[in-house]
């Protein structure tokens, strides 16, 4: 059975709301990444021609476009280099007072096919107000959660005031400055099982008594990442090509994939290329893989992961989410940015090309190039990916006995005849959107999207022809 990211040893974490202790912390290690927080406003409707066209097709009555919403300045703070994560033994309780739907089901429904479920929504009711003696800080703690992400249903602060959302020890922190009242807003997640929300006031509370009742910050939902035990229970299914039963395994035989860092010395090219991939946290609870394509601000993932700018704006893009040591439980602190604009998307060829905010912060991780040549049968491959939400793993790395990670059919039928490349590289749920690279050229020969042994991805040469002018 594959080792699941989330196993750890470490210090106990205080559980402020739950009033319990005993969570065992993950530890982040190394200095290869710093997190930068950015708050931006998701558009009310799609803002790009591609997304606007899709929105109108789905709802002809919907307006074709809308200006960007006003609201928050895009301020950011850099974090330190260590961030604690946590696990808890099976049976641990979540925050006191948190609720789910009737029968104990999470608020979120099952994820769409092809996206790995990595968390759930929890209903809460917390308010930081301007009334005298009102709390200016709230702590949201969920033993063992892999991340915590807050949703604001109310945001009304005075000029000069701001919020911070931090992890338990303050090593990961995001600052959000309000310019006007705004509702329905997600914050960037903090990694680990605790998020600390604090309102910082520039004015003495006694000076705002006349309007105090109209001001405040409310949190109505929290997305919490699954504990290791919970993640183990989640089905790691993938989309399968038309005509497949869906019962086929995607780990073909024994799992020969390994942590990316295992090949830092033995296979430095594959390790370096793996830095260009990202873990996509979609809708707060779902996962795909994405990657930088070309030197400009361009990211590629599957169409079945998301299709429009509104969805991209609510997608977190985590770079450098990798284990620090081979087979170990320390992981580099990820660099997190928001998705920005969808530039092109297509169902048949299952791709979405998009940009990110704060592009300068992720340039250092490098990029991949689409191979314009059609791959040949038997060509050796490797696949950097985030299977089941784990830190980066690589299937088919040099030196492994992984001869199955090679092209079995260079003209496999996906959503269209001959659209795909088939292979037996090990993949799982969450691997959707991963690059499939040629061992010979180290270029991307396929965009992974189907499991089922053979697994398959959309041909890189077709994508290069379709997207070349946008890259």
């Amino acid at each position: 059975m594959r080792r699941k990211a989330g196993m750890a040893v470490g210090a106990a974490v205080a559980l402020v709301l739950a009033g319990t202790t005993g969570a065992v912390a993950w530890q982040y290690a190394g200095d290869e990444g710093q997190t930068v927080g950015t708050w931006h406003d998701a558009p009310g409707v799609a803002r790009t021609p591609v997304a606007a066209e899709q929105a109108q097709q789905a709802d002809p009555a919907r307006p074709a476009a809308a200006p960007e919403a006003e609201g928050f300045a895009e301020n950011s703070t850099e974090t330190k280099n260590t961030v604690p994560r946590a696990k808890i033994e099976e049976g641990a309780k979540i925050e006191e007072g948190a609720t789910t739907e009737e029968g104990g089901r999470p608020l979120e429904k099952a994820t769409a096919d092809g996206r790995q479920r990595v968390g759930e929504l929890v209903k809460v009711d917390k308010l930081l107000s301007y009334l005298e003696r009102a709390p200016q800080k709230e702590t949201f703690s969920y033993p063992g959660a892999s991340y915590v992400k807050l949703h604001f249903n109310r945001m009304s602060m005075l000029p000069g005031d701001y919020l911070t959302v931090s992890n338990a020890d303050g090593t990961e922190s995001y600052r959000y400055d309000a310019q006007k009242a705004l509702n329905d807003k997600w914050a960037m997640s903090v990694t680990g099982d605790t998020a600390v929300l604090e309102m910082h006031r520039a004015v003495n509370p006694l000076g705002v008594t006349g309007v105090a009742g109209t001001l405040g910050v409310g949190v109505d939902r929290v997305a919490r990442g699954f504990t290791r035990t919970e993640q183990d229970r989640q089905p790691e299914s993938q989309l399968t090509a038309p005509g497949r039963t869906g019962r086929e395994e995607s780990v073909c035989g024994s799992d020969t994939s390994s942590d990316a860092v295992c090949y830092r010395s033995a296979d430095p090219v594959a390790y370096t290329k793996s830095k260009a991939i990202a873990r996509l946290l979609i809708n707060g609870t779902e996962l795909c893989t994405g990657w930088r394509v070309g030197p400009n601000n361009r990211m590629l993932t599957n169409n079945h992961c998301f299709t429009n700018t509104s969805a991209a704006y609510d997608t977190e893009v985590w770079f450098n989410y990798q284990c620090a040591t081979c087979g170990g439980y320390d992981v580099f602190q990820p660099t997190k940015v928001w998705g920005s604009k969808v530039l092109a998307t297509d169902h048949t060829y299952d791709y979405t090309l998009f940009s990110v905010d704060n592009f300068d912060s992720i340039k250092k991780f490098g990029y991949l190039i689409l191979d314009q040549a059609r791959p040949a049968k038997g060509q050796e491959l490797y696949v950097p990916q985030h299977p089941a939400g784990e830190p980066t793993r690589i299937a088919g790395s040099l030196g492994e006995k992984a001869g199955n990670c090679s092209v079995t059919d260079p003209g496999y039928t996906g959503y269209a005849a001959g659209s795909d490349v088939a292979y037996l590289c090990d993949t799982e749920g969450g691997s959707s959107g991963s690059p499939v690279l040629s061992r010979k050229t180290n270029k991307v020969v396929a965009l992974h999207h189907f499991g089922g042994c053979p697994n398959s991805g959309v041909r890189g040469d077709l994508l290069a022809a379709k997207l070349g002018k946008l890259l």
Side-chain angles (χ1 to χ4, degrees):
M1 183 71 177
R2 163 177 295 177
R3 170 186 57 77
K4 291 294 178 188
M7 301 172 63
V9 294
V13 177
L15 306 175
V16 177
L17 292 183
T20 60
T21 58
V24 182
W26 279 32
Q27 294 296 325
Y28 272 91
D31 57 1
E32 295 200 12
Q34 288 187 324
T35 305
V36 176
T38 304
W39 188 303
H40 63 183
D41 290 320
V45 296
R47 296 188 305 161
T48 64
V50 169
E53 181 180 355
Q54 289 180 331
Q56 284 190 304
Q57 289 174 353
D59 182 1
R62 188 176 186 177
E68 288 194 37
E70 299 177 356
F72 288 85
E74 296 184 5
N75 292 325
S76 65
T77 55
E78 290 191 355
T79 68
K80 302 175 184 178
N81 291 322
T82 60
V83 181
R85 292 189 69 177
K87 70 175 277 292
I88 193 69
E89 297 304 319
E90 185 173 352
K93 296 180 180 180
I94 63 174
E95 172 193 345
E96 182 179 353
T99 60
T100 57
E101 286 188 330
E102 294 181 20
R105 298 189 305 275
L107 291 170
E108 177 133 295
K109 302 301 182 183
T111 182
D113 286 343
R115 293 199 299 258
Q116 174 71 26
R117 178 88 174 276
V118 292
E120 70 174 1
L121 296 183
V122 179
K123 184 178 179 181
V124 297
D125 183 12
K126 299 294 180 181
L127 176 66
L128 302 183
S129 79
Y130 279 68
L131 297 174
E132 189 175 359
R133 297 189 181 92
Q136 303 302 296
K137 180 189 288 189
E138 287 284 358
T139 300
F140 301 82
S141 196
Y142 303 88
S146 55
Y147 62 85
V148 180
K149 183 177 175 70
L150 306 183
H151 181 268
F152 300 101
N153 64 338
R154 178 183 178 188
M155 176 77 61
S156 182
M157 296 190 294
L158 293 174
D161 294 354
Y162 64 94
L163 296 175
T164 54
V165 180
S166 308
N167 64 347
D169 62 8
T171 54
E172 182 181 13
S173 183
Y174 303 93
R175 170 173 168 158
Y176 306 124
D177 290 281
Q179 294 179 339
K180 72 172 206 177
L182 186 71
N183 300 323
D184 190 20
K185 189 68 194 176
W186 282 104
M188 182 74 80
S189 67
V190 292
T191 312
D193 68 358
T194 301
V196 180
L197 170 66
E198 186 169 5
M199 183 163 60
H200 303 264
R201 305 266 296 274
V203 178
N204 188 306
L206 297 179
V208 296
T209 54
V211 295
T214 66
L215 301 173
V217 176
V219 179
D220 64 339
R221 283 176 284 163
V222 175
R224 68 165 190 96
F226 287 137
T227 67
R228 184 181 69 87
T229 301
E230 290 171 325
Q231 190 62 64
D232 283 346
R233 297 193 190 111
Q234 295 300 310
E236 297 171 0
S237 60
Q238 299 184 78
L239 289 181
T240 54
R244 306 290 287 176
T245 66
R247 293 191 297 270
E248 298 86 0
E249 294 293 334
S250 294
V251 173
C252 305
S254 61
D255 183 5
T256 56
S257 67
S258 299
D259 296 331
V261 72
C262 298
Y263 304 98
R264 182 159 49 188
S265 297
D267 193 356
V269 173
Y271 175 71
T272 300
K273 296 296 184 182
S274 75
K275 289 287 188 178
I277 76 164
R279 187 183 196 261
L280 305 183
L281 182 60
I282 304 165
N283 299 327
T285 59
E286 299 169 5
L287 178 78
C288 280
T289 300
W291 47 282
R292 275 193 64 198
V293 53
N296 298 315
N297 185 359
R298 300 290 184 267
M299 296 286 301
L300 200 58
T301 190
N302 287 144
N303 169 274
H304 73 253
C305 294
F306 63 84
T307 62
N308 57 58
T309 292
S310 293
Y313 260 58
D314 283 333
T315 295
E316 297 184 18
V317 183
W318 296 17
F319 280 89
N320 203 39
Y321 187 60
Q322 298 200 357
C323 289
T325 59
C326 182
Y329 305 120
D330 290 351
V331 294
F332 292 127
Q333 178 177 297
T335 296
K336 300 178 185 179
V337 295
W338 292 104
S340 184
K341 299 178 181 178
V342 167
L343 305 170
T345 191
D346 186 278
H347 172 72
T348 300
Y349 295 95
D350 204 6
Y351 67 79
T352 290
L353 183 73
F354 67 103
S355 62
V356 298
D357 276 358
N358 201 10
F359 176 59
D360 286 345
S361 70
I362 55 98
K363 284 182 178 179
K364 61 187 174 184
F365 299 115
Y367 59 87
L368 305 176
I369 297 174
L370 289 165
D371 198 332
Q372 299 184 42
R374 188 168 182 175
K377 186 173 182 178
Q379 187 171 350
E380 293 184 345
L381 308 170
Y382 62 99
V383 187
Q385 57 189 292
H386 287 287
E390 293 188 28
T392 307
R393 296 178 70 86
I394 301 175
S397 288
L398 188 65
E400 288 183 338
K401 295 179 180 179
N404 61 335
C405 196
S406 60
V407 176
T408 59
D409 185 349
Y412 190 70
T413 295
Y415 286 131
S419 63
D420 281 21
V421 176
Y423 40 82
L424 297 176
C425 309
D426 296 324
T427 60
E428 294 187 53
S431 300
S432 289
S434 299
V436 181
L437 289 90
S438 164
R439 173 65 59 191
K440 180 179 180 181
T441 67
N442 292 300
K443 294 181 179 180
V444 178
V445 298
L447 175 65
H448 176 73
H449 67 153
F450 287 148
C453 292
N455 308 326
S456 73
V458 180
R459 285 167 41 195
D461 60 314
L462 297 179
L463 296 176
K466 290 178 175 293
L467 297 174
K469 292 182 180 180
L470 295 172
L471 301 180

